Amino acid sequence: METSSREKTILDRIVEARRASVAHRKRVLPDVALKLAVEKAGPPRDFPGALVRSGFNVIAELKKASPSRGILRENYAPAALAASLEQAGAAALSVLTEEEFFFGSLGDLKEARKVVQIPILRKDFIVDPWQVWEARAAGADAFLLIAAILDDQTLGELLELGRSLEMEPLLEVHTREELDRVIAAGARIIGVNNRDLRDFKVRIETSLELIEAIPENCIAVSESGLRTHDDLARLRRAGFDAFLVGEHLMREADPAAPLRALLGTAGHTAA
């Protein structure tokens, strides 16, 4: 039976819209042109290396809006935000590039890439290899793969494509079943999203429940709902290597201030 629009989750609607958008863009920009652009792009920066430094490794996320919260930031200037967050001590950046629900774009990522030296993750709903090539052509150093929206075969294909382009993806899970799937696929960076993308409810306990099952040789990232330095310290003690934080930063006039508070460096300027 076909799912009615009323029964569809937010995630279903986002993925459906993303597939339609990709189909249109593939007609406008063929694979051949995209691969030529990739050849001209510089080498990717070391995203995995940025997540395993000593200290608290925060992936600071740039996003203008979200389906659950609406507009997070009226004055959204990706280049200025990126430079400020790098200076405040971010280990890497995540840039939301989905247009319809998050009001992002690849242009935002390109702007950020011009002004920072730290790696940038493309945060999007990637369902097609074309989007991986598109990410690399735009200057992304890594990209997100969401286990909940990908079957095992597609997950494996996108993972291997990323590695062929020297972009190690962040594989995102929310349940033990999804975690088992990405481990079987050979994930090296595993993100536990504390926000359930089907209803957008947040539970930090999700990370604590899944960390024991993440292999020691994988980089573990806790995502969403992190608001205090104590949150990061607790998760680090549990075994997490890095932390992805977005909404908490974007809602503040000066996102660098809450980032420094998260890092425990408030009152100091990062070197």
Side-chain angles (χ1 to χ4, degrees):
M1 182 184 294
E2 196 168 316
T3 306
S4 72
S5 58
R6 183 173 294 180
E7 293 170 327
K8 287 179 182 175
T9 65
I10 297 172
L11 183 59
D12 292 331
R13 301 203 318 268
I14 294 172
V15 172
E16 187 177 272
R18 214 63 188 127
R19 289 188 186 280
S21 172
V22 170
H24 169 72
R25 281 149 59 192
K26 285 170 78 171
R27 290 192 294 270
V28 174
L29 185 61
D31 285 10
V32 174
L34 202 54
K35 290 175 182 180
L36 283 173
V38 167
E39 288 179 12
K40 295 176 183 176
R45 296 165 182 166
D46 184 7
F47 182 67
L51 307 186
V52 294
R53 310 173 311 171
S54 60
F56 292 93
N57 300 311
V58 170
I59 306 167
E61 185 161 277
L62 278 63
K63 62 179 176 182
K64 182 177 177 65
S66 81
S68 59
R69 299 290 186 181
I71 298 293
L72 299 173
R73 191 172 193 85
E74 291 288 352
N75 180 23
Y76 184 68
L81 289 169
S84 175
L85 291 167
E86 179 182 40
Q87 186 178 19
L93 298 178
S94 167
V95 179
L96 229 307
T97 61
E98 194 278 334
E99 295 97 344
E100 187 173 338
F101 293 83
F102 291 87
F103 298 176
S105 75
L106 274 174
D108 296 341
L109 189 150
K110 291 175 183 176
E111 285 185 39
R113 186 64 153 74
K114 290 176 184 176
V115 298
V116 298
Q117 297 303 311
I118 54 178
I120 297 182
L121 171 85
R122 180 187 184 181
K123 183 84 171 283
D124 209 316
F125 298 79
I126 292 180
V127 294
D128 189 291
W130 189 90
Q131 291 168 283
V132 177
W133 287 100
E134 182 187 48
R136 181 79 279 270
D141 305 295
F143 57 95
L144 182 74
L145 292 177
I146 302 172
I149 66 174
L150 300 167
D151 60 40
D152 290 346
Q153 181 177 342
T154 307
L155 188 66
E157 289 172 355
L158 295 173
L159 177 61
E160 288 309 311
L161 174 58
R163 287 177 179 161
S164 75
L165 295 172
E166 299 180 59
M167 303 168 73
E168 186 66 34
L170 169 62
L171 275 65
E172 180 178 285
V173 305
H174 182 70
T175 66
R176 179 58 189 267
E177 185 268 336
E178 291 171 3
L179 176 57
D180 290 343
R181 288 178 55 221
V182 303
I183 292 171
R188 294 175 189 158
I189 309 176
I190 298 176
V192 178
N193 196 343
N194 300 312
R195 176 176 286 113
D196 188 332
L197 291 177
R198 293 174 176 83
D199 59 18
F200 280 76
K201 291 179 181 175
V202 178
R203 290 177 64 252
I204 292 180
E205 289 73 22
T206 303
S207 282
L208 297 170
E209 290 162 3
L210 294 182
I211 184 61
E212 291 301 324
I214 297 178
E216 285 288 330
N217 63 343
C218 291
I219 297 170
V221 182
S222 181
E223 311 172 26
S224 304
L226 311 179
R227 298 186 175 279
T228 68
H229 180 71
D230 287 345
D231 287 340
L232 269 57
R234 181 185 179 198
L235 289 162
R236 188 179 177 193
R237 286 194 299 271
F240 281 93
D241 302 289
F243 315 92
L244 191 148
V245 184
E247 189 174 303
H248 178 60
L249 305 179
M250 290 297 100
R251 295 177 75 89
E252 296 295 327
D254 175 16
L259 176 56
R260 289 194 181 100
L262 280 168
L263 296 171
T265 59
H268 302 84
T269 301

